[in-house]
Amino acid sequence: MTELLAADSWLVDDGRARAVQRHWARFEATCRERGVDPAALAELRAEAARAVPPHGRWFPRVELRADGELAVQVRPAPAREPTVVAWVADVADPRREPRHKGPDLERLAALRARAAEHGAGEALLCDPDGRLLEGAFTSLLWWEGETLCAVPDDAPILPGITRALLLELAGDNGTPVTLRRPAPRELADRETWLVSALHGIRAVTAWTGSPPGGDAPHAAGWQRLLDGLTSSQGV
């Protein structure tokens, strides 16, 4: 199988999805950079729409490979996990293209496998100064009092769709937002989220080693806000 150049996935639950047009836009932008014919992308979108069943939970993935092949996989989606144990990776960031989803998926999957060996469900990546960036397959957000915090957009992170939706919801609701890169110790006892299209908000209940996990009083309410963004349009 040839190298994966671009990929994107989203959750479809009984024919409803959240921000699916944004997932397509992110995927298609990378495809255009690679010279993919717009007509081929339109065909892929039509194929994906036909392939996803109208009932049940599904996690379709669209792909572009180095040989130019476009494909869609329709995978059953697991039950949502509202919490997660996190592990701060003890190796350098392995990603080669952090702003694009696809080229680094195998390396990130290997890192998550290492997290599992430490009893964690997700691995957190750090910059060269030891400050947190994001999870292997998740975006990092946390709370400082009533301020929602996130890593800055210009950091070497994936432009996460769920992250963007949450920051927009914060703006709509008058919730203050701060952008910075935290050291792991700064999240001790703080409400911390690892967010993704598959699970939405997962509250970090524990960190392997240090720091300890914090309570998550905001998580359930903000997950309901996210759930309110689902739509049957353009699945």
Side-chain angles (χ1 to χ4, degrees):
M1 187 173 292
T2 59
E3 179 186 3
L4 188 63
L5 299 182
D8 227 296
S9 307
W10 55 90
L11 176 66
V12 181
D13 191 350
D14 285 338
R16 298 180 64 83
R18 182 171 55 240
V20 66
Q21 300 300 336
R22 298 195 190 196
H23 286 279
W24 275 109
R26 184 171 65 181
F27 176 72
E28 291 175 346
T30 302
C31 288
R32 287 194 297 271
E33 291 175 8
R34 304 287 186 174
V36 176
D37 183 353
L41 288 170
E43 291 177 9
L44 182 69
R45 291 190 71 152
E47 179 184 351
R50 292 191 299 267
V52 178
H55 302 291
R57 284 172 57 87
W58 306 95
F59 195 48
R61 183 166 99 171
V62 288
E63 302 177 347
L64 168 67
R65 294 197 170 270
D67 60 2
E69 178 186 4
L70 291 166
V72 57
Q73 298 182 42
V74 179
R75 306 166 296 178
R80 179 175 176 263
E81 298 175 3
T83 62
V84 64
V85 175
W87 171 68
V88 179
D90 56 6
V91 295
D93 185 347
R95 298 170 302 167
R96 298 175 184 173
E97 297 187 46
R99 302 290 296 178
H100 293 86
K101 186 169 184 177
D104 294 306
L105 286 181
E106 288 188 8
R107 284 177 281 275
L108 292 171
L111 199 60
R112 180 177 276 185
R114 289 197 60 193
E117 294 173 359
H118 289 78
E122 180 62 303
L124 271 291
L125 301 161
C126 293
D127 67 16
D129 294 323
R131 296 190 172 272
L132 294 171
L133 293 170
E134 62 184 348
F137 294 106
T138 53
S139 298
L140 170 66
L141 295 97
W142 70 99
W143 288 85
E144 296 181 2
E146 293 303 312
T147 297
L148 182 60
C149 305
V151 175
D153 295 332
D154 61 359
I157 58 173
L158 185 74
I161 306 298
T162 305
R163 171 188 178 276
L165 291 173
L166 286 165
L167 294 179
E168 289 169 15
L169 284 169
D172 293 343
N173 288 287
T175 299
V177 171
T178 292
L179 302 177
R180 65 184 184 85
R181 302 187 194 188
R185 65 181 179 277
E186 295 179 66
L187 301 187
D189 295 320
R190 293 197 183 279
E191 179 172 3
T192 303
W193 298 346
L194 296 177
V195 308
S196 66
L198 179 58
H199 293 293
I201 296 169
R202 285 194 294 174
V204 176
T205 56
W207 300 76
T208 59
S210 177
D215 295 332
H218 299 88
W222 283 72
Q223 181 62 46
R224 287 192 291 271
L225 291 175
L226 264 185
D227 290 341
L229 300 178
T230 59
S231 170
S232 60
Q233 300 298 313
V235 170

